[in-house]
Amino acid sequence: MAPKTNPGNFFEDFAPGRKLVHAVPRTITEGECALYIGLYGDRFPLHSSAEYARSLGYERETVNDLLVFHTVFGKTVNDVSLNAVANLGYADVRFLAPVYPGDTLRSVSEVLGKKENKSGQNGVVWVRTVGTNQRDERVLEYVRWVMVNKRDTGTPTHADDKPTLPKQVEPAQLSVPKCLDLARYETWPSGGGAFFDDYAVGEVIDHVDGMTIEEVDHTLATRLYQNTAKVHFDAHAAKNTRFGKRLIYGGHIISVARALSFNGLENTLGILAWNGGTHANPTFAGDTIYARSEVLAKAELPGRTDLGALRLRLVAIKNADPTKEGVTLKVEKDGSQSYHPNVVLDLDYWVSMPKKR
């Protein structure tokens, strides 16, 4: 009799070009949006106030960009990363259309390539995922790579077809919602006084606040996103890993850092794209996260004179206050540059920001 349960895909099961149609579409509710605020304390007004959102041309308050990402991502876990060691990074992440409470999201992925690690125990798999709404409109598209365990560690696969990925999302590829109208834009809902014009390339913004991650926080978050990866859920199995305990979902760190970045980037209207991202070091319950941003570039947006795009480097640091303790991005280790052990996230992304009138 065929087994009824799904053990998930192992490294050997992935083949370039394979299409993965992920189960369990998800309708995003107002409750989930409120719970997201409860998890991260996110304060960006476009996701908090229906009246503010309508004043800018939207139907109502929008679902937080990262809640959209986590939901689309969560659908993929059962097929892509159920047997993962760790999620490693992202590229070519593009937010393509606003999502509203009541919209239903689904995900489909395609395997781009894979490479077996020298240890023979596991390997890295690259996939491109597309998230669509109930009208089959693309709302999100991204590439990620993940380290996946092998089923048979004694048999080499010799797989080595790592794909070539774009180094950045070009400004011409950034998608600004057509409905966005800044004719009635006011600053008091965000409380911020800085506009696109006020940020300088090379400027570093320390976001001041810190947030300690509790065990219940990341557990509730991964359940909300239906992210079933064993490394986040199964404490008993995690005892046999090199860390001896559960890992915090990397997306949880992104949401914490993004929420902390409100202090200094209050007038940000939305995430347009990620050029790339790295989960530099693991995070565990009890760690405290701080964040800082560096302005990498500024760009004009096609067809818009009222707002521009800021390219930011969002760095999350654990257990060290960057305003008081010197934490460099990288340190020298064994003759090469490696991430500082307190750096847990290095995210290069584009946001939209109003210009001064």
Side-chain angles (χ1 to χ4, degrees), residues 108-136:
V108 176
S109 299
E110 180 183 353
V111 180
L112 300 180
K114 66 179 185 178
K115 181 178 182 179
E116 185 173 5
N117 287 331
K118 292 180 180 179
S119 68
Q121 302 294 309
N122 45 50
V124 180
V125 177
W126 287 262
V127 299
R128 180 180 295 278
T129 297
V130 175
T132 56
N133 64 18
Q134 67 274 18
R135 294 179 294 276
D136 289 328

Side-chain angles (χ1 to χ4, degrees), residues 132-314:
T132 56
N133 64 18
Q134 67 274 18
R135 294 179 294 276
D136 289 328
E137 298 166 337
R138 292 189 174 202
V139 300
L140 175 68
E141 183 172 339
Y142 65 89
V143 174
R144 72 157 166 147
W145 50 101
V146 57
M147 190 184 300
V148 182
N149 284 316
K150 288 177 62 180
R151 177 184 288 106
D152 178 7
T153 58
T155 304
T157 67
H158 305 294
D160 188 4
D161 48 17
K162 176 182 176 180
T164 300
L165 302 176
K167 293 183 178 180
Q168 67 179 53
V169 179
E170 299 295 337
Q173 297 176 288
L174 300 175
S175 180
V176 178
K178 294 179 181 179
C179 65
L180 179 58
D181 181 358
L182 296 183
R184 297 168 56 194
Y185 183 80
E186 296 181 282
T187 58
W188 72 263
S190 71
F195 292 86
F196 176 81
D197 319 60
D198 299 312
Y199 294 90
V201 174
E203 178 182 3
V204 175
I205 305 163
D206 285 308
H207 297 299
V208 182
D209 309 298
M211 188 181 299
T212 301
I213 298 173
E214 308 293 348
E215 197 77 75
V216 67
D217 297 338
H218 82 97
T219 302
L220 183 58
T222 47
R223 288 174 181 166
L224 176 66
Y225 313 138
Q226 296 173 321
N227 181 338
T228 55
K230 298 173 185 176
V231 292
H232 309 316
F233 274 97
D234 193 335
H236 181 70
K239 291 178 182 178
N240 297 318
T241 67
R242 64 190 179 111
F243 300 115
K245 53 186 173 181
R246 291 186 293 167
L247 290 173
I248 302 295
Y249 163 49
H252 191 75
I253 305 303
I254 297 173
S255 281
V256 170
R258 168 68 175 161
L260 292 173
S261 78
F262 177 79
N263 191 346
L265 293 166
E266 295 90 343
N267 285 326
T268 300
L269 288 176
I271 300 175
L272 299 173
W274 301 354
N275 299 296
T278 301
H279 296 299
N281 285 291
T283 311
F284 306 99
D287 287 344
T288 298
I289 303 300
Y290 296 88
R292 68 176 179 230
S293 295
E294 178 185 357
V295 181
L296 298 178
K298 300 173 69 173
E300 299 296 324
L301 288 166
R304 302 298 298 238
T305 59
D306 53 351
L307 76 163
L310 293 180
R311 184 174 179 178
L312 303 171
R313 184 177 212 164
L314 178 61

